[in-house]
């Protein structure tokens, strides 16, 4: 099955720093999403980005489908950015669903 | 617009008890999903429903059953709870199956003793 690898596994930042999270996947995908799981466990949709580039405030994401990777950029990080960031992909095949990576745990301190 | 809602938020069961987790969505989505999340892991699919009245097994279906009698509701049943089913359960929905963006509910934290 398709493999999803995220790096780095852990990231510690001071408030105001920038960061880049990476997601590599092993096959062509029809769907790629980035989620933020906050400390209360809620999964928040960040981007639906099977290809191309999107921006939303301090966050932006780029997926290069032909090279099978996606990047999530966080600029001017805030303590509320802390949590786990998941990349998930899907291949639109019966019996499958979103396949999640193991996540990147981000801790932002003031 | 509440999005995806789940009840209950927390539940403690004894081994062998049964229960139903409820999920509702008000976005007129066709597809709905049940996932479980175990510590240190991403989410794994239990069952999904591509459309009202249809259901299919996912990666980890053993010990569970599902029902999708109405488009807006997707129920997950535990027939005889086991400690291995201690987990956080998430429901999700999407308009157009696996090609569409999935939206997740807040989760149900289940403990089986």
């Amino acid at each position: 099955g398709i493999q999803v690898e995220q790096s780095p596994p852990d990231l510690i930042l001071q408030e105001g720093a920038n960061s880049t999270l990476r997601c590599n996947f092993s096959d062509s995908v029809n769907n790629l999403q980035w989620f933020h799981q906050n400390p209360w466990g809620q999964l928040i949709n960040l981007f639906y980005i099977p290809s191309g580039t999107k921006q939303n405030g301090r966050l932006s994401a780029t997926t290069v489908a032909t090279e099978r990777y996606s990047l999530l950029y966080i600029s001017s990080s805030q303590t509320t950015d802390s949590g786990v960031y998941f990349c998930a992909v899907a291949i639109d095949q019966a019996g499958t669903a979103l396949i999640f990576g193991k996540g990147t745990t981000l801790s932002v301190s003031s | 617009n509440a999005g995806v809602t789940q009840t209950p938020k927390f539940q403690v069961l004894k081994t062998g008890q049964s229960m139903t987790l409820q999920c509702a969505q008000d976005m007129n989505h066709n597809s709905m999903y049940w996932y479980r999340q175990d510590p240190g892991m991403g989410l794994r699919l239990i069952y999904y429903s591509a459309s009202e009245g249809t259901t299919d097994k996912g990666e980890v279906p053993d010990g569970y059953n599902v029902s999708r009698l109405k488009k807006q509701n997707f129920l997950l049943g535990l027939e005889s709870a086991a400690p291995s089913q201690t987990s956080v359960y998430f429901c999700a929905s999407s308009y157009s199956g696996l090609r569409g963006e999935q939206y997740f509910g807040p989760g149900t934290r289940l403990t089986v003793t």
Side-chain angles (χ1 to χ4, degrees), chain A residues 8 10 16 20 27 34 43 51 57 59 61 71 76 81 88-89 99 103 109:
Chain A
D10 300 284
T20 300
D27 205 344
W34 282 98
L43 277 167
S51 63
L59 274 60
L71 302 174
S76 303
D81 294 332
V89 303
I99 308 300
S109 58

Side-chain angles (χ1 to χ4, degrees), chain A:
Chain A
I2 191 168
Q3 304 294 316
V4 182
E5 295 182 356
Q6 292 186 242
S7 59
D10 300 284
L11 192 54
I12 300 173
L13 299 175
Q14 287 285 332
E15 207 168 20
N18 302 328
S19 60
T20 300
L21 282 61
R22 187 176 180 102
C23 172
N24 292 332
F25 44 96
S26 61
D27 205 344
S28 299
V29 299
N30 301 115
N31 180 356
L32 188 146
Q33 292 185 239
W34 282 98
F35 297 93
H36 174 213
Q37 188 165 40
N38 64 24
W40 296 270
Q42 187 177 6
L43 277 167
I44 299 165
N45 287 40
L46 297 178
F47 294 101
Y48 168 71
I49 188 166
S51 63
T53 297
K54 291 185 177 180
Q55 180 157 7
N56 184 3
R58 296 181 296 104
L59 274 60
S60 64
T62 295
T63 297
V64 183
T66 53
E67 297 187 23
R68 299 180 184 170
Y69 73 88
S70 183
L71 302 174
L72 176 68
Y73 305 96
I74 305 174
S75 65
S76 303
S77 58
Q78 302 175 356
T79 55
T80 51
D81 294 332
S82 296
V84 183
Y85 289 80
F86 287 106
C87 168
V89 303
I91 58 172
D92 197 12
Q93 175 179 316
T96 66
L98 280 179
I99 308 300
F100 282 74
K102 294 188 184 301
T104 292
T105 300
L106 174 63
S107 298
V108 181
S109 58
S110 57

Side-chain angles (χ1 to χ4, degrees), chain B residues 17-56:
Chain B
Q17 289 184 318
S18 62
M19 77 162 296
T20 299
L21 279 64
Q22 301 191 23
C23 175
Q25 53 92 8
D26 62 1
M27 297 176 281
N28 198 34
H29 283 173
N30 295 311
S31 302
M32 297 185 73
Y33 310 83
W34 277 107
Y35 294 85
R36 59 178 287 173
Q37 185 180 29
D38 299 303
M41 299 179 70
L43 279 67
R44 293 181 294 168
L45 182 69
I46 305 171
Y47 271 94
Y48 72 102
S49 169
S51 60
E52 178 183 347
T54 69
T55 61
D56 286 286

